[in-house]
Amino acid sequence: TENKHANSGWNVISISNATIEGDVDLKNAEVPFFTILTNCYFGNAVFLNLAQFKSGVRFNNSTFAGETDFRYMSVGGAFEADGATFSRTDATTNFGHMRVAGAVLLNNAVFNGPVDFKAAEFAGFHADGVHFLRDSDFESMKVKGPTTFYASENHSAIFDGPARFYAMESESVIANAAQFNKGSDFELVDVKRHAMFDGTIFKEKARFYGGKIGANFQAINAVFGGPADFERMNVDGYALFRGTTF
């Protein structure tokens, strides 16, 4: 371990600037403390599937070089991985069926391989400035609060691989200025309030078939470079397409 600073107090475990070369295997573990692992380098696999963190977890600016598995993990507070890098290209970073009582923060994170959020449940989901280089799958993800893919100070949220939001539920979806460089599928999404795609670029097919929007659907100045499918979509408020290019 290099440049490690550890603080183990009554309510927090904190490690920063550590290099961890072996596997981290906490499957089924119960962790009662707020856990902070920032600016760390995980050289091999990280298995946190079925782990229970009673408080929050923070991996800000850390690098995961190996396989990363968060399936069925439960977190009593927030799950934070702002600025984290998931380097492996040949394995899926898996958040499937994860339960987080607080928000999930992935602002400016980079996913070099596929990522899976199927059937996960979060209080909020914030991935502003995120970069998905391959497939991203949000099928049946449920978010009690907002889901955001805002542009960060550095760049827009970028989806270089196919993005699939099939049957996702959220209070709102805000993806202003995001870039969907492959197909994007929002079939049967259920958004309780607004869905906002102002200035968003859809380079290939964008599909909103059967989606339900509880307030406004907004795509002002958006660009649809491929087919756009809004068949059977239901919008309770206004559908706004001013300055939109099809």
PDB file of all heavy atoms in Angstrom, residues 7-19:
ATOM      1  N   ASN A   7      -8.021   6.469   8.774  1.00  0.00           N
ATOM      2  CA  ASN A   7      -8.611   6.983   9.993  1.00  0.00           C
ATOM      3  C   ASN A   7      -9.780   6.086  10.344  1.00  0.00           C
ATOM      4  O   ASN A   7     -10.763   6.020   9.623  1.00  0.00           O
ATOM      5  CB  ASN A   7      -9.095   8.433   9.789  1.00  0.00           C
ATOM      6  CG  ASN A   7      -9.850   8.948  10.993  1.00  0.00           C
ATOM      7  OD1 ASN A   7      -9.575   8.546  12.117  1.00  0.00           O
ATOM      8  ND2 ASN A   7     -10.799   9.843  10.759  1.00  0.00           N
ATOM      9  N   SER A   8      -9.652   5.360  11.441  1.00  0.00           N
ATOM     10  CA  SER A   8     -10.727   4.487  11.869  1.00  0.00           C
ATOM     11  C   SER A   8     -11.280   5.010  13.180  1.00  0.00           C
ATOM     12  O   SER A   8     -10.716   4.792  14.246  1.00  0.00           O
ATOM     13  CB  SER A   8     -10.209   3.055  12.040  1.00  0.00           C
ATOM     14  OG  SER A   8     -11.260   2.208  12.434  1.00  0.00           O
ATOM     15  N   GLY A   9     -12.353   5.758  13.091  1.00  0.00           N
ATOM     16  CA  GLY A   9     -12.978   6.299  14.284  1.00  0.00           C
ATOM     17  C   GLY A   9     -14.215   5.499  14.632  1.00  0.00           C
ATOM     18  O   GLY A   9     -14.467   4.432  14.080  1.00  0.00           O
ATOM     19  N   TRP A  10     -15.004   6.019  15.555  1.00  0.00           N
ATOM     20  CA  TRP A  10     -16.182   5.284  15.995  1.00  0.00           C
ATOM     21  C   TRP A  10     -17.222   5.162  14.891  1.00  0.00           C
ATOM     22  O   TRP A  10     -17.890   4.155  14.761  1.00  0.00           O
ATOM     23  CB  TRP A  10     -16.765   5.988  17.221  1.00  0.00           C
ATOM     24  CG  TRP A  10     -17.893   5.209  17.843  1.00  0.00           C
ATOM     25  CD1 TRP A  10     -19.219   5.501  17.805  1.00  0.00           C
ATOM     26  CD2 TRP A  10     -17.789   3.995  18.582  1.00  0.00           C
ATOM     27  NE1 TRP A  10     -19.950   4.560  18.464  1.00  0.00           N
ATOM     28  CE2 TRP A  10     -19.091   3.614  18.973  1.00  0.00           C
ATOM     29  CE3 TRP A  10     -16.702   3.180  18.961  1.00  0.00           C
ATOM     30  CZ2 TRP A  10     -19.354   2.469  19.715  1.00  0.00           C
ATOM     31  CZ3 TRP A  10     -16.976   2.037  19.703  1.00  0.00           C
ATOM     32  CH2 TRP A  10     -18.284   1.693  20.078  1.00  0.00           C
ATOM     33  N   ASN A  11     -17.305   6.198  14.045  1.00  0.00           N
ATOM     34  CA  ASN A  11     -18.377   6.203  13.050  1.00  0.00           C
ATOM     35  C   ASN A  11     -17.890   6.222  11.616  1.00  0.00           C
ATOM     36  O   ASN A  11     -18.699   6.275  10.704  1.00  0.00           O
ATOM     37  CB  ASN A  11     -19.278   7.427  13.273  1.00  0.00           C
ATOM     38  CG  ASN A  11     -20.000   7.368  14.601  1.00  0.00           C
ATOM     39  OD1 ASN A  11     -20.563   6.340  14.941  1.00  0.00           O
ATOM     40  ND2 ASN A  11     -19.973   8.454  15.351  1.00  0.00           N
ATOM     41  N   VAL A  12     -16.581   6.200  11.361  1.00  0.00           N
ATOM     42  CA  VAL A  12     -16.080   6.332  10.000  1.00  0.00           C
ATOM     43  C   VAL A  12     -14.806   5.523   9.821  1.00  0.00           C
ATOM     44  O   VAL A  12     -13.975   5.424  10.719  1.00  0.00           O
ATOM     45  CB  VAL A  12     -15.839   7.819   9.642  1.00  0.00           C
ATOM     46  CG1 VAL A  12     -14.773   8.434  10.527  1.00  0.00           C
ATOM     47  CG2 VAL A  12     -15.473   7.969   8.174  1.00  0.00           C
ATOM     48  N   ILE A  13     -14.691   4.928   8.641  1.00  0.00           N
ATOM     49  CA  ILE A  13     -13.436   4.328   8.188  1.00  0.00           C
ATOM     50  C   ILE A  13     -13.012   5.121   6.963  1.00  0.00           C
ATOM     51  O   ILE A  13     -13.769   5.225   5.991  1.00  0.00           O
ATOM     52  CB  ILE A  13     -13.614   2.850   7.816  1.00  0.00           C
ATOM     53  CG1 ILE A  13     -14.037   2.040   9.037  1.00  0.00           C
ATOM     54  CG2 ILE A  13     -12.322   2.282   7.228  1.00  0.00           C
ATOM     55  CD1 ILE A  13     -14.405   0.605   8.702  1.00  0.00           C
ATOM     56  N   SER A  14     -11.812   5.694   6.990  1.00  0.00           N
ATOM     57  CA  SER A  14     -11.365   6.558   5.908  1.00  0.00           C
ATOM     58  C   SER A  14      -9.968   6.158   5.459  1.00  0.00           C
ATOM     59  O   SER A  14      -9.040   6.107   6.274  1.00  0.00           O
ATOM     60  CB  SER A  14     -11.381   8.026   6.355  1.00  0.00           C
ATOM     61  OG  SER A  14     -10.920   8.871   5.322  1.00  0.00           O
ATOM     62  N   ILE A  15      -9.822   5.865   4.168  1.00  0.00           N
ATOM     63  CA  ILE A  15      -8.520   5.553   3.569  1.00  0.00           C
ATOM     64  C   ILE A  15      -8.408   6.355   2.286  1.00  0.00           C
ATOM     65  O   ILE A  15      -9.327   6.358   1.459  1.00  0.00           O
ATOM     66  CB  ILE A  15      -8.395   4.043   3.256  1.00  0.00           C
ATOM     67  CG1 ILE A  15      -8.530   3.216   4.530  1.00  0.00           C
ATOM     68  CG2 ILE A  15      -7.060   3.746   2.577  1.00  0.00           C
ATOM     69  CD1 ILE A  15      -8.556   1.715   4.290  1.00  0.00           C
ATOM     70  N   SER A  16      -7.286   7.034   2.103  1.00  0.00           N
ATOM     71  CA  SER A  16      -7.089   7.819   0.891  1.00  0.00           C
ATOM     72  C   SER A  16      -5.708   7.542   0.312  1.00  0.00           C
ATOM     73  O   SER A  16      -4.768   7.178   1.024  1.00  0.00           O
ATOM     74  CB  SER A  16      -7.250   9.319   1.172  1.00  0.00           C
ATOM     75  OG  SER A  16      -6.303   9.761   2.123  1.00  0.00           O
ATOM     76  N   ASN A  17      -5.611   7.688  -1.016  1.00  0.00           N
ATOM     77  CA  ASN A  17      -4.340   7.556  -1.736  1.00  0.00           C
ATOM     78  C   ASN A  17      -3.685   6.196  -1.519  1.00  0.00           C
ATOM     79  O   ASN A  17      -2.457   6.091  -1.442  1.00  0.00           O
ATOM     80  CB  ASN A  17      -3.384   8.678  -1.333  1.00  0.00           C
ATOM     81  CG  ASN A  17      -3.936  10.047  -1.634  1.00  0.00           C
ATOM     82  OD1 ASN A  17      -4.279  10.352  -2.769  1.00  0.00           O
ATOM     83  ND2 ASN A  17      -4.076  10.867  -0.604  1.00  0.00           N
ATOM     84  N   ALA A  18      -4.493   5.140  -1.432  1.00  0.00           N
ATOM     85  CA  ALA A  18      -3.969   3.790  -1.237  1.00  0.00           C
ATOM     86  C   ALA A  18      -3.931   3.038  -2.564  1.00  0.00           C
ATOM     87  O   ALA A  18      -4.786   3.244  -3.435  1.00  0.00           O
ATOM     88  CB  ALA A  18      -4.825   3.028  -0.235  1.00  0.00           C
ATOM     89  N   THR A  19      -2.928   2.165  -2.713  1.00  0.00           N
ATOM     90  CA  THR A  19      -2.860   1.234  -3.832  1.00  0.00           C
ATOM     91  C   THR A  19      -3.122  -0.160  -3.291  1.00  0.00           C
ATOM     92  O   THR A  19      -2.376  -0.649  -2.433  1.00  0.00           O
ATOM     93  CB  THR A  19      -1.479   1.288  -4.517  1.00  0.00           C
ATOM     94  OG1 THR A  19      -1.280   2.595  -5.048  1.00  0.00           O
ATOM     95  CG2 THR A  19      -1.400   0.266  -5.639  1.00  0.00           C
TER      96      THR A  19
END
